[in-house]
Amino acid sequence: MKYVVANWKMNLSVRESIALVRSILRSVQGRKHFPGIVICPSATALAEAHKLVTRTHLALGAQNAGPDRAGAFTGEIGIAQLEDLGCQYAILGHSERRLKFGEDDAVVHDRLTAVLASNLTPILCVGEPMEVRQAEQAEEYVLRQLKQAFANQKLPRGKSFMVAYEPVWAIGSGQPASPEQIVAMHKLIREYLLHELKLPTDHCFVLYGGSVAAKNAYQFLREPEIDGLLVGGASIKANEFAQIIGAACDVIEAQASV
Ligand code: PGA
Protein backbone atom coordinates (compact mmCIF):
# COMPACT_ATOMS: atom_id res chain seq x y z
CA MET A 1 0.00 0.00 0.00
CA LYS A 2 1.25 3.48 -0.83
CA TYR A 3 -0.03 6.70 0.69
CA VAL A 4 -0.11 10.27 -0.47
CA VAL A 5 -0.85 12.75 2.30
CA ALA A 6 -1.58 16.38 1.46
CA ASN A 7 -0.60 18.96 4.04
CA TRP A 8 -2.27 22.18 2.96
CA LYS A 9 -0.78 24.08 5.90
CA MET A 10 -2.32 27.53 6.58
CA ASN A 11 -3.65 27.98 3.04
CA LEU A 12 -6.88 28.17 1.06
CA SER A 13 -10.30 29.57 1.81
CA VAL A 14 -13.20 27.20 2.37
CA ARG A 15 -14.30 27.75 -1.22
CA GLU A 16 -10.80 27.04 -2.56
CA SER A 17 -10.56 23.97 -0.38
CA ILE A 18 -13.82 22.61 -1.77
CA ALA A 19 -12.59 23.16 -5.33
CA LEU A 20 -9.33 21.37 -4.58
CA VAL A 21 -11.05 18.38 -2.98
CA ARG A 22 -13.26 18.09 -6.05
CA SER A 23 -10.26 18.21 -8.33
CA ILE A 24 -8.48 15.49 -6.35
CA LEU A 25 -11.58 13.31 -6.57
CA ARG A 26 -11.61 13.79 -10.34
CA SER A 27 -7.94 12.87 -10.59
CA VAL A 28 -8.54 9.32 -9.33
CA GLN A 29 -11.68 8.73 -11.37
CA GLY A 30 -11.30 5.76 -13.70
CA ARG A 31 -8.09 4.56 -12.02
CA LYS A 32 -8.11 0.90 -11.05
CA HIS A 33 -5.29 1.20 -8.54
CA PHE A 34 -4.70 4.21 -6.40
CA PRO A 35 -2.89 5.08 -3.19
CA GLY A 36 -4.44 5.85 0.14
CA ILE A 37 -5.05 9.58 -0.15
CA VAL A 38 -5.28 11.68 2.98
CA ILE A 39 -5.98 15.37 2.79
CA CYS A 40 -5.17 17.64 5.69
CA PRO A 41 -6.83 21.01 5.08
CA SER A 42 -6.85 23.90 7.49
CA ALA A 43 -9.18 23.31 10.41
CA THR A 44 -11.49 25.94 8.92
CA ALA A 45 -12.22 23.71 5.93
CA LEU A 46 -12.49 20.34 7.64
CA ALA A 47 -16.28 20.34 7.94
CA GLU A 48 -16.89 21.13 4.27
CA ALA A 49 -14.15 18.79 3.15
CA HIS A 50 -15.71 16.03 5.21
CA LYS A 51 -19.01 16.36 3.34
CA LEU A 52 -17.18 15.89 0.04
CA VAL A 53 -14.96 12.97 1.00
CA THR A 54 -17.60 10.85 2.70
CA ARG A 55 -17.97 7.57 0.79
CA THR A 56 -15.03 8.37 -1.49
CA HIS A 57 -11.44 7.14 -1.61
CA LEU A 58 -10.20 10.20 0.21
CA ALA A 59 -9.62 10.33 3.92
CA LEU A 60 -9.39 13.41 6.06
CA GLY A 61 -6.62 14.39 8.44
CA ALA A 62 -5.88 17.24 10.82
CA GLN A 63 -2.62 19.20 10.78
CA ASN A 64 -2.28 18.87 14.52
CA ALA A 65 -4.35 17.47 17.36
CA GLY A 66 -5.00 18.74 20.84
CA PRO A 67 -3.31 17.09 23.78
CA ASP A 68 -6.65 15.80 25.05
CA ARG A 69 -10.13 14.88 23.88
CA ALA A 70 -11.58 18.14 25.20
CA GLY A 71 -10.94 20.68 27.93
CA ALA A 72 -9.32 23.97 28.87
CA PHE A 73 -6.88 24.32 25.98
CA THR A 74 -7.62 27.67 24.33
CA GLY A 75 -6.77 27.71 20.66
CA GLU A 76 -6.41 23.95 20.34
CA ILE A 77 -8.65 21.48 18.57
CA GLY A 78 -9.57 18.50 20.70
CA ILE A 79 -9.42 14.91 19.57
CA ALA A 80 -13.17 14.50 20.05
CA GLN A 81 -13.77 17.52 17.82
CA LEU A 82 -11.54 16.08 15.11
CA GLU A 83 -13.38 12.77 15.24
CA ASP A 84 -16.63 14.71 15.05
CA LEU A 85 -15.38 16.41 11.88
CA GLY A 86 -14.65 13.06 10.27
CA CYS A 87 -10.89 13.10 10.65
CA GLN A 88 -9.18 9.75 10.51
CA TYR A 89 -5.59 10.97 10.67
CA ALA A 90 -3.61 13.61 12.52
CA ILE A 91 -0.21 15.03 11.65
CA LEU A 92 1.85 15.46 14.82
CA GLY A 93 5.18 17.06 15.51
CA HIS A 94 5.52 18.81 12.17
CA SER A 95 8.77 20.75 12.14
CA GLU A 96 6.86 24.02 11.68
CA ARG A 97 5.05 23.27 14.94
CA ARG A 98 8.31 22.34 16.62
CA LEU A 99 10.31 25.32 15.35
CA LYS A 100 7.76 28.13 15.05
CA PHE A 101 5.50 27.24 17.96
CA GLY A 102 7.94 25.73 20.39
CA GLU A 103 6.40 22.27 20.44
CA ASP A 104 9.15 20.26 22.03
CA ASP A 105 9.37 16.50 22.33
CA ALA A 106 7.29 16.55 25.53
CA VAL A 107 4.42 18.35 23.79
CA VAL A 108 4.59 16.01 20.83
CA HIS A 109 4.61 13.07 23.22
CA ASP A 110 1.42 14.27 24.93
CA ARG A 111 -0.36 14.88 21.65
CA LEU A 112 0.63 11.41 20.51
CA THR A 113 -0.72 9.94 23.76
CA ALA A 114 -4.10 11.54 23.07
CA VAL A 115 -4.15 10.39 19.46
CA LEU A 116 -3.17 6.84 20.38
CA ALA A 117 -6.16 6.69 22.71
CA SER A 118 -8.50 7.76 19.90
CA ASN A 119 -9.66 6.48 16.55
CA LEU A 120 -7.20 8.70 14.72
CA THR A 121 -4.09 7.37 13.01
CA PRO A 122 -1.03 9.41 13.94
CA ILE A 123 1.31 10.74 11.25
CA LEU A 124 4.29 11.54 13.42
CA CYS A 125 6.83 13.85 11.77
CA VAL A 126 10.52 13.57 12.51
CA GLY A 127 13.54 15.00 10.77
CA GLU A 128 16.86 16.66 11.37
CA PRO A 129 18.03 20.21 10.63
CA MET A 130 20.86 20.75 8.13
CA GLU A 131 23.59 21.30 10.71
CA VAL A 132 22.77 17.96 12.31
CA ARG A 133 23.02 16.19 8.95
CA GLN A 134 26.29 17.96 8.23
CA ALA A 135 27.60 16.77 11.57
CA GLU A 136 26.59 13.24 10.51
CA GLN A 137 24.19 12.91 13.40
CA ALA A 138 20.91 12.73 11.54
CA GLU A 139 20.20 9.14 12.54
CA GLU A 140 20.75 9.72 16.25
CA TYR A 141 18.61 12.87 16.08
CA VAL A 142 15.67 11.16 14.41
CA LEU A 143 15.93 8.16 16.68
CA ARG A 144 15.86 10.44 19.70
CA GLN A 145 12.72 12.17 18.42
CA LEU A 146 11.06 8.79 17.96
CA LYS A 147 12.09 7.56 21.40
CA GLN A 148 10.82 10.70 23.10
CA ALA A 149 7.49 10.57 21.28
CA PHE A 150 6.92 6.89 21.94
CA ALA A 151 8.31 6.76 25.50
CA ASN A 152 5.93 4.80 27.74
CA GLN A 153 3.08 5.00 25.27
CA LYS A 154 0.30 2.43 25.24
CA LEU A 155 0.30 1.05 21.72
CA PRO A 156 -3.18 -0.17 20.89
CA ARG A 157 -3.45 -3.35 18.84
CA GLY A 158 -4.90 -3.01 15.40
CA LYS A 159 -3.92 0.63 15.10
CA SER A 160 -1.88 1.94 12.18
CA PHE A 161 1.19 4.08 12.78
CA MET A 162 2.64 6.48 10.29
CA VAL A 163 5.96 8.19 10.67
CA ALA A 164 6.89 10.88 8.17
CA TYR A 165 10.59 11.48 7.73
CA GLU A 166 10.81 15.15 6.85
CA PRO A 167 14.33 16.59 7.04
CA VAL A 168 13.91 20.23 8.06
CA TRP A 169 16.24 21.39 5.30
CA ALA A 170 14.14 19.71 2.63
CA ILE A 171 10.83 21.27 3.61
CA GLY A 172 9.74 24.02 1.25
CA SER A 173 13.32 24.43 -0.02
CA GLY A 174 13.03 22.80 -3.42
CA GLN A 175 15.88 20.51 -2.30
CA PRO A 176 14.46 17.10 -1.45
CA ALA A 177 16.58 14.45 0.19
CA SER A 178 17.96 11.86 -2.22
CA PRO A 179 16.28 8.46 -2.48
CA GLU A 180 19.43 6.96 -0.89
CA GLN A 181 19.26 9.30 2.10
CA ILE A 182 15.56 8.62 2.51
CA VAL A 183 15.84 4.85 2.20
CA ALA A 184 18.63 4.74 4.79
CA MET A 185 16.57 6.76 7.27
CA HIS A 186 13.39 4.82 6.57
CA LYS A 187 15.17 1.57 7.34
CA LEU A 188 16.22 2.94 10.68
CA ILE A 189 12.71 4.22 11.48
CA ARG A 190 11.09 0.93 10.46
CA GLU A 191 13.61 -1.03 12.47
CA TYR A 192 12.64 1.04 15.51
CA LEU A 193 8.90 0.56 14.94
CA LEU A 194 9.12 -3.16 14.30
CA HIS A 195 11.88 -4.23 16.66
CA GLU A 196 11.90 -1.73 19.52
CA LEU A 197 8.17 -1.08 19.66
CA LYS A 198 7.25 -4.50 18.28
CA LEU A 199 4.53 -3.10 16.07
CA PRO A 200 3.17 -5.35 13.34
CA THR A 201 4.71 -4.78 9.89
CA ASP A 202 1.40 -4.30 8.13
CA HIS A 203 0.41 -1.52 10.54
CA CYS A 204 3.54 0.60 10.09
CA PHE A 205 4.01 3.08 7.28
CA VAL A 206 7.05 5.26 6.80
CA LEU A 207 6.49 8.29 4.58
CA TYR A 208 8.82 10.89 3.16
CA GLY A 209 8.15 14.63 3.03
CA GLY A 210 10.18 17.63 1.90
CA SER A 211 9.96 19.29 -1.52
CA VAL A 212 8.01 16.45 -3.05
CA ALA A 213 6.87 17.51 -6.52
CA ALA A 214 5.38 16.01 -9.66
CA LYS A 215 8.88 15.64 -11.10
CA ASN A 216 10.29 13.58 -8.24
CA ALA A 217 7.30 11.68 -6.80
CA TYR A 218 7.75 8.57 -8.93
CA GLN A 219 11.40 8.07 -8.03
CA PHE A 220 10.49 8.14 -4.34
CA LEU A 221 7.35 6.04 -4.55
CA ARG A 222 8.97 3.25 -6.52
CA GLU A 223 11.29 2.54 -3.57
CA PRO A 224 9.81 -0.32 -1.54
CA GLU A 225 11.11 1.37 1.65
CA ILE A 226 9.03 4.49 0.97
CA ASP A 227 5.41 3.76 1.84
CA GLY A 228 4.21 7.16 0.78
CA LEU A 229 4.69 10.89 0.63
CA LEU A 230 3.70 13.83 2.77
CA VAL A 231 3.29 16.70 0.36
CA GLY A 232 3.14 20.36 1.35
CA GLY A 233 3.47 23.13 -1.25
CA ALA A 234 2.76 20.89 -4.22
CA SER A 235 -0.44 19.60 -2.65
CA ILE A 236 -2.30 22.89 -3.04
CA LYS A 237 -1.62 23.05 -6.77
CA ALA A 238 -4.36 20.96 -8.37
CA ASN A 239 -2.42 19.85 -11.45
CA GLU A 240 0.81 19.18 -9.66
CA PHE A 241 -0.93 17.15 -6.99
CA ALA A 242 -2.91 15.20 -9.59
CA GLN A 243 0.41 14.25 -11.17
CA ILE A 244 1.79 13.10 -7.82
CA ILE A 245 -1.27 10.91 -7.33
CA GLY A 246 -0.83 9.72 -10.91
CA ALA A 247 2.76 8.72 -10.10
CA ALA A 248 1.52 6.71 -7.11
CA CYS A 249 -1.14 5.03 -9.28
CA ASP A 250 1.56 4.15 -11.84
CA VAL A 251 3.83 2.63 -9.21
CA ILE A 252 0.98 0.58 -7.74
CA GLU A 253 -0.15 -0.56 -11.20
CA ALA A 254 3.40 -1.55 -12.12
CA GLN A 255 3.72 -3.54 -8.88
CA ALA A 256 0.32 -5.18 -9.40
CA SER A 257 1.37 -6.41 -12.85
CA VAL A 258 4.52 -8.30 -11.70
P1 PGA B 1 6.88 20.81 1.25
O1 PGA B 1 6.35 20.58 2.73
O2 PGA B 1 6.32 19.67 0.41
O3 PGA B 1 6.31 22.12 0.84
O4 PGA B 1 8.35 20.77 1.29
C1 PGA B 1 6.23 19.30 3.28
C2 PGA B 1 5.68 19.41 4.67
O5 PGA B 1 5.96 20.43 5.34
O6 PGA B 1 4.98 18.51 5.16
Side-chain angles (χ1 to χ4, degrees):
M1 182 70 174
K2 297 278 180 184
Y3 284 89
V4 177
V5 181
N7 173 12
W8 292 358
K9 309 194 179 187
M10 198 177 70
N11 294 299
L12 307 184
S13 65
V14 174
R15 189 191 285 250
E16 290 164 336
S17 301
I18 291 171
L20 189 51
V21 173
R22 291 209 168 111
S23 118
I24 297 169
L25 285 169
R26 277 196 301 276
S27 74
V28 285
Q29 255 169 21
R31 284 283 195 167
K32 227 165 87 195
H33 301 278
F34 37 80
I37 303 171
V38 182
I39 52 163
C40 304
S42 286
T44 50
L46 281 172
E48 288 299 323
H50 181 221
K51 289 184 203 159
L52 295 173
V53 304
T54 311
R55 286 188 293 279
T56 72
H57 308 304
L58 302 196
L60 205 57
Q63 295 178 13
N64 205 358
D68 211 336
R69 292 195 65 75
F73 296 96
T74 302
E76 293 286 328
I77 307 178
I79 306 288
Q81 294 169 321
L82 294 175
E83 288 173 350
D84 189 36
L85 284 164
C87 287
Q88 293 170 262
Y89 294 82
I91 296 173
L92 298 174
H94 191 281
S95 68
E96 286 153 15
R97 299 300 317 174
R98 293 179 190 260
L99 297 169
K100 298 181 184 173
F101 297 93
E103 288 193 14
D104 59 12
D105 285 321
V107 172
V108 176
H109 173 274
D110 291 352
R111 292 188 190 277
L112 181 61
T113 308
V115 167
L116 289 176
S118 75
N119 294 326
L120 302 176
T121 297
I123 305 172
L124 174 70
C125 299
V126 293
E128 80 289 352
M130 186 45 113
E131 60 277 15
V132 172
R133 176 154 287 269
Q134 281 167 343
E136 295 182 8
Q137 295 189 339
E139 301 201 338
E140 293 85 335
Y141 188 95
V142 165
L143 213 47
R144 196 166 56 241
Q145 285 181 321
L146 283 173
K147 282 185 181 157
Q148 307 254 13
F150 279 105
N152 306 314
Q153 298 282 18
K154 260 207 186 125
L155 303 173
R157 277 161 165 260
K159 200 171 187 72
S160 290
F161 297 83
M162 290 189 172
V163 172
Y165 170 53
E166 295 206 308
V168 176
W169 46 272
I171 295 177
S173 65
Q175 302 282 330
S178 67
E180 296 70 33
Q181 287 171 321
I182 301 168
V183 167
M185 193 63 88
H186 279 209
K187 283 190 173 151
L188 183 90
I189 293 170
R190 202 181 304 278
E191 167 91 12
Y192 176 77
L193 297 174
L194 302 188
H195 298 119
E196 294 280 323
L197 298 182
K198 311 231 180 308
L199 295 172
T201 318
D202 54 350
H203 285 73
C204 293
F205 302 93
V206 189
L207 316 182
Y208 168 72
S211 297
V212 171
K215 62 173 192 272
N216 58 32
Y218 189 88
Q219 59 159 345
F220 295 140
L221 287 164
R222 73 175 173 203
E223 296 287 346
E225 267 297 334
I226 303 180
D227 296 321
L229 301 172
L230 176 51
V231 189
S235 73
I236 54 171
K237 298 178 193 145
N239 276 341
E240 177 102 13
F241 193 62
Q243 287 176 55
I244 294 172
I245 292 181
C249 296
D250 292 346
V251 168
I252 298 166
E253 268 158 32
Q255 287 172 350
S257 64
V258 267

